[in-house]
Amino acid sequence: MNISQTIDHTLLRATATEAEIKAICEEAIAYQFKTVCVPTCYVPIAADLLKGTEIGITTVVGFPLGNETAATKAFQAKEAVVNGASDIDTVINIGALKDEKYDYVQFDIEEVVKAAKAADPKTIVKVIIETCYLTKEEIIKATELVIAAGADFVKTSTGFGTGGATLEDVKLMKQTAGNQIQVKASGGISDAETATAMIEAGATRLGVSKSIAIVTGQKVTDGGSY
């Protein structure tokens, strides 16, 4: 298993600077990560830095709360793809899920999928359901809605909630998704042992900021959040 090719090398901190974005792009080239994951404002810079490589660019939509309007999320997704993003990670409307407004939750996801894939049909759309706020039943329902909306991945976490990925949640999402869509685990993954366990549980993509520690076997102590 080439763990580097499961990693979205992530920098989404509010204080992220252009120099830091350049650094993670250079790291992605050096370690051959699948993508870099950067804020939308830095997508054009990352696209220029990674031109001519096979490294993709992930960015986030409706992040981290998910309570923008569907139209706002769709515009953000389209703009990001036009600017060079290969992957869109969008946050569901968590409150609508809690209110059992399932038609709206699915519509909200569908609008992002349509906008992103209209800009480029090859765009990968991952949907963050923020598992730390959900019951097991809600995780199952959210995963089903992601499938119905035509997205490519269901993703555990933003990294900004009250908790990140857990093996239990990843297994439940994979069990629900089957082979219909893939699972991305993110939040709190900071070492090779945890990363490997997430993959064995069913994740095919990892959102991590401690990517180099994971691929080199280093130990870190600050949790591996975004």
Side-chain angles (χ1 to χ4, degrees):
M1 175 184 62
N2 182 359
I3 200 166
S4 294
Q5 281 294 294
T6 69
I7 289 176
D8 292 340
H9 188 38
T10 300
L11 176 57
L12 294 173
R13 284 186 284 101
T15 57
T17 65
E18 188 171 327
E20 289 174 317
I21 297 299
K22 181 178 180 181
I24 71 161
C25 288
E26 291 171 347
E27 290 166 357
I29 293 169
Y31 290 93
Q32 286 298 291
F33 296 129
K34 184 69 174 178
T35 77
V36 296
C37 183
V38 300
T40 52
C41 65
Y42 288 125
V43 168
I45 294 169
D48 183 60
L49 292 168
L50 295 171
K51 188 182 301 180
T53 75
E54 294 185 0
I55 298 163
I57 298 165
T58 298
T59 196
V60 287
V61 164
F63 191 88
L65 301 179
N67 51 14
E68 294 84 352
T69 65
T72 300
K73 292 178 182 178
F75 178 85
Q76 191 178 13
K78 179 181 178 180
E79 182 183 50
V81 175
V82 169
N83 286 340
S86 61
D87 296 39
I88 299 293
D89 287 18
T90 183
V91 186
I92 65 164
N93 189 308
I94 302 165
L97 182 73
K98 290 285 186 181
D99 279 336
E100 299 184 5
K101 295 180 179 178
Y102 301 136
D103 287 346
Y104 182 80
V105 175
Q106 182 175 328
F107 167 77
D108 185 66
I109 301 166
E110 286 173 342
E111 289 299 287
V112 173
V113 172
K114 287 192 293 185
K117 292 185 183 285
D120 185 343
K122 298 188 300 295
T123 305
I124 300 298
V125 179
K126 313 186 200 91
V127 181
I128 305 169
I129 63 173
E130 199 70 294
T131 50
C132 62
Y133 298 131
L134 306 182
T135 65
K136 289 181 173 61
E137 292 75 19
E138 287 169 339
I139 290 170
I140 291 169
K141 185 61 180 181
T143 302
E144 291 172 345
L145 292 169
V146 173
I147 294 167
D152 302 287
F153 278 78
V154 61
K155 176 180 171 183
T156 60
S157 319
T158 62
F160 289 85
T162 57
T166 69
L167 289 175
E168 183 181 24
D169 289 345
V170 170
K171 289 175 182 177
L172 181 59
M173 292 159 69
K174 176 60 179 175
Q175 180 182 347
T176 306
N179 294 322
Q180 297 178 86
I181 57 172
Q182 298 181 66
V183 176
K184 176 176 174 179
S186 62
I189 304 168
S190 58
D191 57 56
E193 182 179 0
T194 305
T196 300
M198 291 294 176
I199 293 168
E200 290 174 349
T204 56
R205 196 77 68 89
L206 306 175
V208 291
S209 57
K210 307 303 179 189
S211 315
I212 295 173
I214 287 170
V215 298
T216 60
Q218 299 173 15
K219 290 288 185 182
V220 296
T221 58
D222 58 354
S225 67
Y226 288 160

mmCIF file of all heavy atoms in Angstrom, residues 37-74:
data_model
loop_
_atom_site.group_PDB
_atom_site.id
_atom_site.type_symbol
_atom_site.label_atom_id
_atom_site.label_comp_id
_atom_site.label_asym_id
_atom_site.label_seq_id
_atom_site.Cartn_x
_atom_site.Cartn_y
_atom_site.Cartn_z
ATOM 1 N N CYS A 37 -4.621 20.156 0.159
ATOM 2 C CA CYS A 37 -5.933 20.691 0.503
ATOM 3 C C CYS A 37 -5.735 22.076 1.091
ATOM 4 O O CYS A 37 -5.146 22.218 2.166
ATOM 5 C CB CYS A 37 -6.659 19.777 1.484
ATOM 6 S SG CYS A 37 -8.336 20.334 1.885
ATOM 7 N N VAL A 38 -6.223 23.094 0.364
ATOM 8 C CA VAL A 38 -5.955 24.487 0.718
ATOM 9 C C VAL A 38 -7.255 25.298 0.696
ATOM 10 O O VAL A 38 -8.225 24.906 0.045
ATOM 11 C CB VAL A 38 -4.939 25.117 -0.248
ATOM 12 C CG1 VAL A 38 -3.616 24.356 -0.207
ATOM 13 C CG2 VAL A 38 -5.485 25.165 -1.680
ATOM 14 N N PRO A 39 -7.282 26.446 1.374
ATOM 15 C CA PRO A 39 -8.454 27.318 1.290
ATOM 16 C C PRO A 39 -8.686 27.787 -0.151
ATOM 17 O O PRO A 39 -7.756 27.853 -0.963
ATOM 18 C CB PRO A 39 -8.076 28.497 2.197
ATOM 19 C CG PRO A 39 -7.043 27.952 3.130
ATOM 20 C CD PRO A 39 -6.265 26.967 2.318
ATOM 21 N N THR A 40 -9.917 28.160 -0.455
ATOM 22 C CA THR A 40 -10.258 28.512 -1.838
ATOM 23 C C THR A 40 -9.428 29.677 -2.377
ATOM 24 O O THR A 40 -9.112 29.709 -3.558
ATOM 25 C CB THR A 40 -11.749 28.864 -1.960
ATOM 26 O OG1 THR A 40 -12.084 29.855 -0.984
ATOM 27 C CG2 THR A 40 -12.618 27.644 -1.753
ATOM 28 N N CYS A 41 -9.082 30.626 -1.527
ATOM 29 C CA CYS A 41 -8.329 31.784 -2.009
ATOM 30 C C CYS A 41 -6.938 31.412 -2.505
ATOM 31 O O CYS A 41 -6.328 32.158 -3.282
ATOM 32 C CB CYS A 41 -8.237 32.860 -0.931
ATOM 33 S SG CYS A 41 -7.289 32.384 0.527
ATOM 34 N N TYR A 42 -6.436 30.246 -2.066
ATOM 35 C CA TYR A 42 -5.094 29.824 -2.460
ATOM 36 C C TYR A 42 -5.087 28.802 -3.602
ATOM 37 O O TYR A 42 -4.017 28.332 -4.001
ATOM 38 C CB TYR A 42 -4.353 29.239 -1.256
ATOM 39 C CG TYR A 42 -3.940 30.270 -0.233
ATOM 40 C CD1 TYR A 42 -4.309 30.140 1.103
ATOM 41 C CD2 TYR A 42 -3.167 31.379 -0.597
ATOM 42 C CE1 TYR A 42 -3.925 31.080 2.053
ATOM 43 C CE2 TYR A 42 -2.787 32.323 0.338
ATOM 44 C CZ TYR A 42 -3.166 32.167 1.666
ATOM 45 O OH TYR A 42 -2.783 33.108 2.589
ATOM 46 N N VAL A 43 -6.261 28.459 -4.124
ATOM 47 C CA VAL A 43 -6.306 27.481 -5.216
ATOM 48 C C VAL A 43 -5.493 27.938 -6.429
ATOM 49 O O VAL A 43 -4.717 27.153 -6.984
ATOM 50 C CB VAL A 43 -7.762 27.154 -5.605
ATOM 51 C CG1 VAL A 43 -7.818 26.376 -6.927
ATOM 52 C CG2 VAL A 43 -8.438 26.349 -4.499
ATOM 53 N N PRO A 44 -5.617 29.183 -6.910
ATOM 54 C CA PRO A 44 -4.823 29.589 -8.077
ATOM 55 C C PRO A 44 -3.320 29.490 -7.845
ATOM 56 O O PRO A 44 -2.564 29.105 -8.757
ATOM 57 C CB PRO A 44 -5.259 31.038 -8.314
ATOM 58 C CG PRO A 44 -6.615 31.138 -7.704
ATOM 59 C CD PRO A 44 -6.551 30.248 -6.490
ATOM 60 N N ILE A 45 -2.880 29.823 -6.629
ATOM 61 C CA ILE A 45 -1.451 29.736 -6.312
ATOM 62 C C ILE A 45 -0.992 28.283 -6.341
ATOM 63 O O ILE A 45 0.042 27.950 -6.932
ATOM 64 C CB ILE A 45 -1.179 30.372 -4.938
ATOM 65 C CG1 ILE A 45 -1.445 31.866 -4.987
ATOM 66 C CG2 ILE A 45 0.258 30.088 -4.476
ATOM 67 C CD1 ILE A 45 -1.457 32.537 -3.629
ATOM 68 N N ALA A 46 -1.765 27.406 -5.703
ATOM 69 C CA ALA A 46 -1.415 25.984 -5.693
ATOM 70 C C ALA A 46 -1.420 25.414 -7.106
ATOM 71 O O ALA A 46 -0.549 24.611 -7.476
ATOM 72 C CB ALA A 46 -2.377 25.214 -4.806
ATOM 73 N N ALA A 47 -2.384 25.825 -7.932
ATOM 74 C CA ALA A 47 -2.467 25.338 -9.305
ATOM 75 C C ALA A 47 -1.220 25.721 -10.088
ATOM 76 O O ALA A 47 -0.688 24.924 -10.877
ATOM 77 C CB ALA A 47 -3.716 25.893 -9.984
ATOM 78 N N ASP A 48 -0.735 26.926 -9.866
ATOM 79 C CA ASP A 48 0.477 27.370 -10.554
ATOM 80 C C ASP A 48 1.697 26.597 -10.056
ATOM 81 O O ASP A 48 2.533 26.148 -10.858
ATOM 82 C CB ASP A 48 0.671 28.874 -10.330
ATOM 83 C CG ASP A 48 1.874 29.418 -11.086
ATOM 84 O OD1 ASP A 48 1.883 29.313 -12.324
ATOM 85 O OD2 ASP A 48 2.801 29.937 -10.426
ATOM 86 N N LEU A 49 1.789 26.394 -8.752
ATOM 87 C CA LEU A 49 2.936 25.696 -8.177
ATOM 88 C C LEU A 49 2.987 24.223 -8.568
ATOM 89 O O LEU A 49 4.064 23.627 -8.673
ATOM 90 C CB LEU A 49 2.916 25.822 -6.657
ATOM 91 C CG LEU A 49 3.161 27.229 -6.092
ATOM 92 C CD1 LEU A 49 2.821 27.269 -4.613
ATOM 93 C CD2 LEU A 49 4.602 27.659 -6.321
ATOM 94 N N LEU A 50 1.819 23.613 -8.774
ATOM 95 C CA LEU A 50 1.753 22.173 -9.057
ATOM 96 C C LEU A 50 1.556 21.869 -10.540
ATOM 97 O O LEU A 50 1.367 20.713 -10.907
ATOM 98 C CB LEU A 50 0.631 21.541 -8.228
ATOM 99 C CG LEU A 50 0.851 21.589 -6.711
ATOM 100 C CD1 LEU A 50 -0.394 21.146 -5.969
ATOM 101 C CD2 LEU A 50 2.052 20.732 -6.310
ATOM 102 N N LYS A 51 1.613 22.892 -11.364
ATOM 103 C CA LYS A 51 1.449 22.701 -12.807
ATOM 104 C C LYS A 51 2.493 21.710 -13.329
ATOM 105 O O LYS A 51 3.669 21.782 -12.965
ATOM 106 C CB LYS A 51 1.604 24.033 -13.528
ATOM 107 C CG LYS A 51 1.265 24.007 -15.004
ATOM 108 C CD LYS A 51 1.493 25.374 -15.631
ATOM 109 C CE LYS A 51 0.645 26.440 -14.953
ATOM 110 N NZ LYS A 51 0.858 27.781 -15.561
ATOM 111 N N GLY A 52 2.046 20.756 -14.126
ATOM 112 C CA GLY A 52 2.962 19.771 -14.696
ATOM 113 C C GLY A 52 3.189 18.560 -13.821
ATOM 114 O O GLY A 52 3.908 17.639 -14.208
ATOM 115 N N THR A 53 2.577 18.529 -12.636
ATOM 116 C CA THR A 53 2.667 17.359 -11.755
ATOM 117 C C THR A 53 1.347 16.596 -11.810
ATOM 118 O O THR A 53 0.366 17.070 -12.392
ATOM 119 C CB THR A 53 2.952 17.756 -10.294
ATOM 120 O OG1 THR A 53 1.757 18.280 -9.707
ATOM 121 C CG2 THR A 53 4.065 18.788 -10.213
ATOM 122 N N GLU A 54 1.306 15.446 -11.168
ATOM 123 C CA GLU A 54 0.066 14.681 -11.084
ATOM 124 C C GLU A 54 -0.647 14.900 -9.756
ATOM 125 O O GLU A 54 -1.619 14.211 -9.441
ATOM 126 C CB GLU A 54 0.369 13.193 -11.278
ATOM 127 C CG GLU A 54 0.889 12.856 -12.677
ATOM 128 C CD GLU A 54 1.064 11.369 -12.891
ATOM 129 O OE1 GLU A 54 0.778 10.593 -11.955
ATOM 130 O OE2 GLU A 54 1.486 10.986 -13.993
ATOM 131 N N ILE A 55 -0.188 15.865 -8.990
ATOM 132 C CA ILE A 55 -0.774 16.146 -7.677
ATOM 133 C C ILE A 55 -1.999 17.024 -7.838
ATOM 134 O O ILE A 55 -1.946 18.081 -8.484
ATOM 135 C CB ILE A 55 0.261 16.808 -6.762
ATOM 136 C CG1 ILE A 55 1.438 15.865 -6.544
ATOM 137 C CG2 ILE A 55 -0.370 17.201 -5.426
ATOM 138 C CD1 ILE A 55 2.678 16.523 -6.015
ATOM 139 N N GLY A 56 -3.111 16.595 -7.277
ATOM 140 C CA GLY A 56 -4.347 17.347 -7.372
ATOM 141 C C GLY A 56 -4.440 18.442 -6.334
ATOM 142 O O GLY A 56 -3.594 18.575 -5.444
ATOM 143 N N ILE A 57 -5.503 19.237 -6.453
ATOM 144 C CA ILE A 57 -5.745 20.331 -5.513
ATOM 145 C C ILE A 57 -7.156 20.186 -4.961
ATOM 146 O O ILE A 57 -8.140 20.274 -5.696
ATOM 147 C CB ILE A 57 -5.592 21.699 -6.194
ATOM 148 C CG1 ILE A 57 -4.168 21.868 -6.717
ATOM 149 C CG2 ILE A 57 -5.950 22.828 -5.226
ATOM 150 C CD1 ILE A 57 -4.007 22.998 -7.698
ATOM 151 N N THR A 58 -7.219 19.938 -3.670
ATOM 152 C CA THR A 58 -8.497 19.883 -2.961
ATOM 153 C C THR A 58 -8.748 21.237 -2.307
ATOM 154 O O THR A 58 -7.826 21.855 -1.789
ATOM 155 C CB THR A 58 -8.473 18.798 -1.870
ATOM 156 O OG1 THR A 58 -8.270 17.526 -2.481
ATOM 157 C CG2 THR A 58 -9.768 18.771 -1.077
ATOM 158 N N THR A 59 -9.994 21.677 -2.341
ATOM 159 C CA THR A 59 -10.371 22.850 -1.557
ATOM 160 C C THR A 59 -11.715 22.592 -0.902
ATOM 161 O O THR A 59 -12.361 21.579 -1.169
ATOM 162 C CB THR A 59 -10.390 24.135 -2.398
ATOM 163 O OG1 THR A 59 -10.402 25.279 -1.522
ATOM 164 C CG2 THR A 59 -11.596 24.203 -3.322
ATOM 165 N N VAL A 60 -12.119 23.505 -0.024
ATOM 166 C CA VAL A 60 -13.297 23.272 0.803
ATOM 167 C C VAL A 60 -14.403 24.272 0.482
ATOM 168 O O VAL A 60 -14.140 25.431 0.171
ATOM 169 C CB VAL A 60 -12.942 23.333 2.298
ATOM 170 C CG1 VAL A 60 -12.162 22.101 2.706
ATOM 171 C CG2 VAL A 60 -12.147 24.595 2.634
ATOM 172 N N VAL A 61 -15.633 23.804 0.596
ATOM 173 C CA VAL A 61 -16.815 24.604 0.288
ATOM 174 C C VAL A 61 -17.772 24.533 1.473
ATOM 175 O O VAL A 61 -17.960 23.469 2.064
ATOM 176 C CB VAL A 61 -17.487 24.067 -0.996
ATOM 177 C CG1 VAL A 61 -18.902 24.601 -1.146
ATOM 178 C CG2 VAL A 61 -16.643 24.395 -2.223
ATOM 179 N N GLY A 62 -18.363 25.682 1.834
ATOM 180 C CA GLY A 62 -19.256 25.704 2.992
ATOM 181 C C GLY A 62 -18.542 25.301 4.259
ATOM 182 O O GLY A 62 -19.119 24.638 5.122
ATOM 183 N N PHE A 63 -17.317 25.725 4.389
ATOM 184 C CA PHE A 63 -16.421 25.205 5.429
ATOM 185 C C PHE A 63 -16.210 26.254 6.514
ATOM 186 O O PHE A 63 -16.013 27.427 6.210
ATOM 187 C CB PHE A 63 -15.082 24.862 4.767
ATOM 188 C CG PHE A 63 -14.127 24.079 5.608
ATOM 189 C CD1 PHE A 63 -14.165 22.699 5.623
ATOM 190 C CD2 PHE A 63 -13.174 24.720 6.369
ATOM 191 C CE1 PHE A 63 -13.271 21.966 6.388
ATOM 192 C CE2 PHE A 63 -12.282 24.003 7.137
ATOM 193 C CZ PHE A 63 -12.329 22.617 7.141
ATOM 194 N N PRO A 64 -16.213 25.883 7.787
ATOM 195 C CA PRO A 64 -16.389 24.532 8.323
ATOM 196 C C PRO A 64 -17.793 24.211 8.839
ATOM 197 O O PRO A 64 -18.034 23.122 9.323
ATOM 198 C CB PRO A 64 -15.404 24.514 9.490
ATOM 199 C CG PRO A 64 -15.473 25.917 10.029
ATOM 200 C CD PRO A 64 -15.686 26.807 8.825
ATOM 201 N N LEU A 65 -18.743 25.158 8.751
ATOM 202 C CA LEU A 65 -20.037 24.973 9.413
ATOM 203 C C LEU A 65 -21.105 24.359 8.526
ATOM 204 O O LEU A 65 -22.031 23.725 9.020
ATOM 205 C CB LEU A 65 -20.534 26.317 9.962
ATOM 206 C CG LEU A 65 -19.613 27.001 10.982
ATOM 207 C CD1 LEU A 65 -20.212 28.326 11.435
ATOM 208 C CD2 LEU A 65 -19.341 26.099 12.171
ATOM 209 N N GLY A 66 -21.040 24.588 7.219
ATOM 210 C CA GLY A 66 -21.978 23.962 6.297
ATOM 211 C C GLY A 66 -23.313 24.651 6.169
ATOM 212 O O GLY A 66 -24.198 24.157 5.467
ATOM 213 N N ASN A 67 -23.499 25.820 6.805
ATOM 214 C CA ASN A 67 -24.827 26.420 6.821
ATOM 215 C C ASN A 67 -25.004 27.597 5.871
ATOM 216 O O ASN A 67 -25.922 28.397 6.016
ATOM 217 C CB ASN A 67 -25.228 26.814 8.248
ATOM 218 C CG ASN A 67 -24.173 27.639 8.951
ATOM 219 O OD1 ASN A 67 -23.247 28.158 8.330
ATOM 220 N ND2 ASN A 67 -24.297 27.760 10.265
ATOM 221 N N GLU A 68 -24.138 27.698 4.849
ATOM 222 C CA GLU A 68 -24.393 28.627 3.760
ATOM 223 C C GLU A 68 -25.550 28.111 2.906
ATOM 224 O O GLU A 68 -25.934 26.952 2.999
ATOM 225 C CB GLU A 68 -23.148 28.786 2.874
ATOM 226 C CG GLU A 68 -21.954 29.437 3.554
ATOM 227 C CD GLU A 68 -21.115 28.463 4.353
ATOM 228 O OE1 GLU A 68 -21.528 27.296 4.512
ATOM 229 O OE2 GLU A 68 -20.038 28.855 4.811
ATOM 230 N N THR A 69 -26.077 28.959 2.033
ATOM 231 C CA THR A 69 -27.126 28.502 1.126
ATOM 232 C C THR A 69 -26.532 27.575 0.073
ATOM 233 O O THR A 69 -25.328 27.608 -0.213
ATOM 234 C CB THR A 69 -27.802 29.677 0.412
ATOM 235 O OG1 THR A 69 -26.844 30.320 -0.443
ATOM 236 C CG2 THR A 69 -28.366 30.674 1.406
ATOM 237 N N ALA A 70 -27.394 26.759 -0.524
ATOM 238 C CA ALA A 70 -26.942 25.851 -1.579
ATOM 239 C C ALA A 70 -26.354 26.629 -2.752
ATOM 240 O O ALA A 70 -25.359 26.214 -3.349
ATOM 241 C CB ALA A 70 -28.107 24.981 -2.035
ATOM 242 N N ALA A 71 -26.963 27.761 -3.087
ATOM 243 C CA ALA A 71 -26.469 28.569 -4.210
ATOM 244 C C ALA A 71 -25.073 29.111 -3.934
ATOM 245 O O ALA A 71 -24.216 29.156 -4.828
ATOM 246 C CB ALA A 71 -27.436 29.718 -4.486
ATOM 247 N N THR A 72 -24.839 29.512 -2.693
ATOM 248 C CA THR A 72 -23.510 30.008 -2.317
ATOM 249 C C THR A 72 -22.469 28.902 -2.445
ATOM 250 O O THR A 72 -21.374 29.117 -2.988
ATOM 251 C CB THR A 72 -23.535 30.542 -0.875
ATOM 252 O OG1 THR A 72 -24.471 31.611 -0.794
ATOM 253 C CG2 THR A 72 -22.165 31.029 -0.444
ATOM 254 N N LYS A 73 -22.800 27.729 -1.955
ATOM 255 C CA LYS A 73 -21.870 26.602 -2.053
ATOM 256 C C LYS A 73 -21.596 26.240 -3.513
ATOM 257 O O LYS A 73 -20.451 25.952 -3.891
ATOM 258 C CB LYS A 73 -22.429 25.388 -1.307
ATOM 259 C CG LYS A 73 -22.489 25.542 0.199
ATOM 260 C CD LYS A 73 -23.101 24.292 0.829
ATOM 261 C CE LYS A 73 -23.222 24.403 2.328
ATOM 262 N NZ LYS A 73 -23.868 23.213 2.928
ATOM 263 N N ALA A 74 -22.635 26.243 -4.326
ATOM 264 C CA ALA A 74 -22.470 25.889 -5.741
ATOM 265 C C ALA A 74 -21.558 26.887 -6.448
ATOM 266 O O ALA A 74 -20.673 26.499 -7.222
ATOM 267 C CB ALA A 74 -23.834 25.839 -6.429
#
